[in-house]
């Protein structure tokens, strides 16, 4: 009890750089509980000011916290921390930044560990007791890998996810749509236009299903549907089918105008 109070007092009196330095030292000595306490204390100090809630420093600390949690075996809590760090790094530095790539790589590693823990042969995505949807994380990791050019790994993760959701009738359509759109962009970036067309058509089918299921009439011209049609039209243009591409782009313009009218 006394040691805990002394440690808490020491954390209060230390600066953020000192807390980070001590956390790094403890981590290097494999004293993970001490490292975690130092990083959490630094994060708490950093976030005392509302403007620093989503600062680059906060993201760096969340990344460190995620690594420590992963080392201690708390994979779901680690993924929560990495997700928050990644969002800040993407917003502040861009999806293709080195820092965002670093966090994405750590998320991929933890994601693989979670799958191993839950049985690789089952090929199932699970939800942990900390509320992390591995389904969602898979899509986020895949799309981020796509954004910084790791096409092979992005395709592996997204295709694995799509196989699972296609076998599960209760799967999340929004995450499926995001994965299909990412796959279409991935194939498009590599010049694989036939594969890209298939993905855009499947994405469009999913988007229309979501619109049909919605109680909101304005979602009939939902931007996800428009994006799928626009993407498909662009693929046709690149493949040389200029007449049909032009017709689809005209349809997209009309849909955008209709969507704009619905928001007034």
């Amino acid at each position: 009890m006394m040691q805990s109070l002394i440690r808490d007092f020491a954390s209060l009196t230390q600066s953020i750089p000192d807390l980070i330095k001590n956390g790094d030292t403890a981590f290097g000595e494999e004293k993970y509980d001490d490292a975690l306490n130092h990083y959490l204390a630094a994060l708490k100090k950093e976030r005392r000011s509302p403007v620093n809630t989503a600062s680059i420093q906060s993201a760096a600390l969340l990344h460190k916290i995620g690594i420590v949690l992963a080392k201690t075996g708390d994979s779901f809590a680690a993924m929560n921390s990495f997700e928050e760090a990644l969002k800040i790094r993407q917003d502040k530095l861009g999806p293709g930044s080195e820092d965002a790539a670093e966090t994405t790589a750590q998320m991929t590693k933890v994601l693989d560990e979670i799958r191993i823990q839950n049985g690789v042969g089952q090929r199932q995505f699970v939800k942990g007791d900390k509320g992390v949807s591995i389904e969602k994380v898979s899509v986020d990791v895949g799309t981020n890998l796509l954004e910084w050019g790791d096409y092979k790994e992005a395709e592996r993760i997204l295709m694995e996810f799509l196989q699972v959701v296609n076998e599960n009738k209760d799967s999340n359509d929004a995450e499926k749509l995001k994965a299909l759109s990412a796959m279409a962009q991935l194939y498009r970036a590599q010049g694989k236009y036939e594969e890209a067309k298939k993905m855009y058509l499947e994405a469009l089918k999913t988007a229309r299903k979501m619109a049909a299921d919605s109680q909101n009439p304005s979602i009939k011209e939902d931007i996800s549907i428009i994006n799928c049609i626009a993407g498909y039209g662009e693929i046709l243009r690149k493949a040389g089918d200029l007449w049909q591409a032009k017709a689809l782009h005209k349809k997209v313009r009309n849909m955008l105008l209709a969507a704009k009218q619905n928001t007034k």
Side-chain angles (χ1 to χ4, degrees), residues 138-139 142-143 146 154 157-159 161-163 165-166 171-188 195-210 224 227-228 231 235:
S138 296
V139 179
T143 52
L146 164 63
I157 289 176
L158 290 169
M159 288 302 289
F161 166 76
L162 286 171
Q163 181 177 338
V165 296
N166 285 334
S171 61
N172 186 316
D173 282 337
E175 296 303 327
K176 180 180 179 181
L177 174 60
K178 187 176 178 181
L180 286 166
S181 298
M183 283 298 301
Q185 292 173 48
L186 186 152
Y187 286 137
R188 173 178 162 183
E195 291 92 335
K197 282 196 282 185
K198 291 176 184 177
M199 290 296 166
Y200 274 124
L201 289 174
E202 188 63 27
L204 180 59
K205 180 181 174 181
T206 303
R208 282 177 170 161
K209 177 181 179 294
M210 290 170 63
S224 58
N227 284 339
C228 289
I235 291 297

Side-chain angles (χ1 to χ4, degrees), residues 107-148:
M107 291 173 76
T108 304
K109 187 187 299 184
V110 175
L111 184 61
D112 286 339
E113 289 172 0
I114 292 172
R115 288 175 181 160
I116 291 169
Q117 291 168 14
N118 290 275
V120 176
Q122 295 174 14
R123 301 179 66 82
Q124 291 179 350
F125 291 80
V126 298
K127 188 165 183 173
D129 55 3
K130 303 284 185 174
V132 181
S133 169
I134 303 308
E135 193 175 272
K136 180 181 185 302
V137 169
S138 296
V139 179
D140 289 344
V141 170
T143 52
N144 279 289
L145 287 167
L146 164 63
E147 286 170 347
W148 57 279

